[in-house]
Amino acid sequence: MNLDHIAETYVKLVLAVGEHDESYVDAYIGPAAWRDDAKTQAVSLNALLAQADALIAHSKSLPPAPQDQTERHVFLGLQIAAVRAHIAFLNGTVLPFDEESKVLYDAVSPTLTPADLDKTLAELDGLLPGEGDLNQRLSHYNKQFEIPRDKLDAVFSAAINEARARTRRYIALPDNESFSVEYVSGKVWSAYNWYKGNSHSLIEVNTDFPMFISRAIDLASHEAYPGHHVFNVLIENELVKEKGWIEYAIYPLYSPMSFLAEGSANYGIEVAFPHAERMAFEKEVLFPLAGIDPEKAERYYQIQAVLQRLSYAGNMVAKRYLDGEIDRETAINMLMTYSLSDAERSAQRIRFIEKLRSYVINYNLGQDVVQAYIEQRAGTQDQDKRWAVLTDLLRQPKSASMMLT
């Protein structure tokens, strides 16, 4: 076996696993015949485990790859190990939260306790109007920043168009790249990018809850530009079509690829919209489109910045809940206390955790690792350099440990 053969075998293995878990294959742009074969060949989980073990052994026995493919070999090895771990999970092997995240995403979230969040909660107590329960005060405050449903498409479309214009100044994209937006309900996520191939994405936005004005740019950048849509377009055109690295024709959701995808999509918000530029665009365009008073923007985003420091609370709750330390009701109450989400959104978050488990670390820890990687190489002030390093990272995927070395 050479590296290309291992890559092909890996793609077929992921497709076979996808027949046991319909959420596993997030995107596939490879040969249709391989997908058809996977649907017609019922391979047991035990047999897939054996295939994964053999593929890992073959990958480890390869001679050193050419210099321009060394990182490709390392990244593929981590992807294969993650496939094996997910097969084992489907077959009944449930790992502790940290062990699971390490083998699936090549990363472990920092240990956090409620006491670590108390200082941030105290700061918010001084920022939010009113007295009493902090969660209720935040919910009441946030109501004035909800985008009316009949204005959601106009606001979200304006945010996407601006994010696209900013991204295309720095990243060369195919002329035919495109996306469509649909509004859905009954999902555990707030938005999702479904990559369809040929440089096209479908972006679904969940309308179960009203969208806050801060989420318009966040989701436009995260799901589209320079986030998931751009990442997938670059992978398809530069890695699959130009280099023939067929392993990138498939995206297994529970894999190191997701750590980079979610982390770069989150940090890409800041790259595309530095704070001062974001505030100007929000005040001049998005707030008026949503019918929200632009004079309230500065205070609102001051509070949002403090709330961001609570992001790891979700990891803390997920770990305790999935490791059996707390029950579901306690987990929801902890999210209400330490993430300050209301009861309904906290329940939705628990459904997300139940479905995607340790995937939650990819958003905050992923963002922090990608941010550190980029800023070590480009600093924080030179936009040209930040865009260049971000683009190179999307074109040459690295796992968490690869970014930290």
Side-chain angles (χ1 to χ4, degrees), residues 158-178:
I160 287 183
N161 290 338
E162 180 68 13
R164 184 175 190 264
R166 287 167 176 261
T167 299
R168 290 182 70 93
R169 291 176 202 152
Y170 294 94
I171 301 178
L173 297 172
D175 291 339
N176 69 320
E177 66 87 10
S178 63

Side-chain angles (χ1 to χ4, degrees), residues 236-374:
E236 177 181 22
N237 287 282
E238 300 190 14
L239 296 185
V240 178
K241 291 181 177 179
E242 291 183 16
K243 292 187 175 181
W245 293 3
I246 195 62
E247 67 269 29
Y248 289 101
I250 198 161
Y251 177 7
L253 189 62
Y254 311 113
S255 70
M257 181 70 84
S258 285
F259 187 88
L260 174 59
E262 302 295 1
S264 61
N266 266 0
Y267 183 61
I269 300 167
E270 165 64 23
V271 175
F273 290 90
H275 180 71
E277 296 179 21
R278 175 170 182 161
M279 292 307 303
F281 180 69
E282 295 257 14
K283 290 179 179 180
E284 294 170 10
V285 179
L286 297 189
F287 273 63
L289 274 176
I292 301 172
D293 183 1
E295 295 300 317
K296 297 178 178 180
E298 294 286 351
R299 181 75 164 182
Y300 176 64
Y301 276 101
Q302 181 186 5
I303 291 173
Q304 293 304 305
V306 179
L307 281 169
Q308 179 60 29
R309 303 209 299 268
L310 296 174
S311 69
Y312 279 86
N315 299 19
M316 175 187 72
V317 172
K319 173 179 166 60
R320 291 188 176 193
Y321 177 50
L322 295 176
D323 285 350
E325 297 176 15
I326 57 176
D327 61 19
R328 195 174 195 273
E329 182 179 356
T330 302
I332 291 174
N333 288 333
M334 287 187 71
L335 286 176
M336 292 180 66
T337 300
Y338 297 105
S339 291
L340 292 180
S341 52
D342 62 28
E344 290 184 336
R345 286 184 171 88
S346 295
Q348 183 197 49
R349 185 63 174 169
I350 289 299
R351 293 194 295 274
F352 182 96
I353 290 169
E354 290 169 340
K355 182 173 178 60
L356 280 85
R357 298 180 56 81
S358 61
Y359 192 95
V360 296
I361 76 161
N362 294 326
Y363 297 98
N364 42 37
L365 183 59
Q367 176 178 340
D368 288 348
V369 170
V370 169
Q371 178 173 355
Y373 177 87
I374 291 175

Side-chain angles (χ1 to χ4, degrees), residues 25-30 35 173-174 176-180 192-204 223-224 227-238 240-241 248-251:
V25 178
D26 192 75
Y28 179 64
I29 55 173
R35 181 175 51 206
L173 297 172
N176 69 320
E177 66 87 10
S178 63
F179 65 90
S180 53
Y192 209 105
N193 179 296
W194 302 100
Y195 192 66
K196 301 300 184 180
N198 196 31
S199 301
H200 180 76
S201 290
L202 167 64
I203 299 171
E204 290 186 334
E223 303 298 341
H228 295 327
H229 174 66
V230 170
F231 189 23
N232 284 307
V233 167
L234 293 176
I235 283 175
E236 177 181 22
N237 287 282
E238 300 190 14
V240 178
K241 291 181 177 179
Y248 289 101
I250 198 161
Y251 177 7

Side-chain angles (χ1 to χ4, degrees), residues 72-93:
R72 176 197 180 194
H73 187 190
V74 172
F75 194 85
L76 179 56
L78 292 168
Q79 291 283 107
I80 296 169
V83 178
R84 195 221 180 268
H86 190 59
I87 298 170
F89 172 76
L90 294 175
N91 208 29
T93 301

